Amino acid sequence: MVHGDSGLGHLGFIGRLGPDRGLRWLLTTSTGNPFVGASVDWPLAHFVNDWGSTLTLDLTDPDFAP
């Protein structure tokens, strides 16, 4: 999993890397604030932004699988 922000401060992104460290998918936000933390408790991935809001994704969902 990868996460971060842009230089503008209000844009954030999360993504998933494959076994080869290649990007499998990427989600960007224009109003969701930067993501500052990520953790995986299989099959769930949890992303936290700088306001403390959490986004949880099921990594077995075909939309988020590698």
Side-chain angles (χ1 to χ4, degrees):
M1 309 308 317
V2 294
H3 60 84
D5 63 10
S6 74
L8 298 178
H10 67 285
L11 305 175
F13 72 87
I14 59 174
R16 185 171 185 176
L17 303 177
D20 62 353
R21 307 279 305 156
L23 185 63
R24 298 299 186 234
W25 55 259
L26 182 72
L27 177 137
T28 62
T29 64
S30 61
T31 59
N33 288 37
F35 289 95
V36 296
S39 64
V40 176
D41 182 22
W42 187 258
L44 302 177
H46 309 280
F47 300 91
V48 179
N49 72 10
D50 63 348
W51 282 14
S53 297
T54 302
L55 170 67
T56 299
L57 302 176
D58 181 348
L59 297 176
T60 61
D61 184 307
D63 288 338
F64 302 112

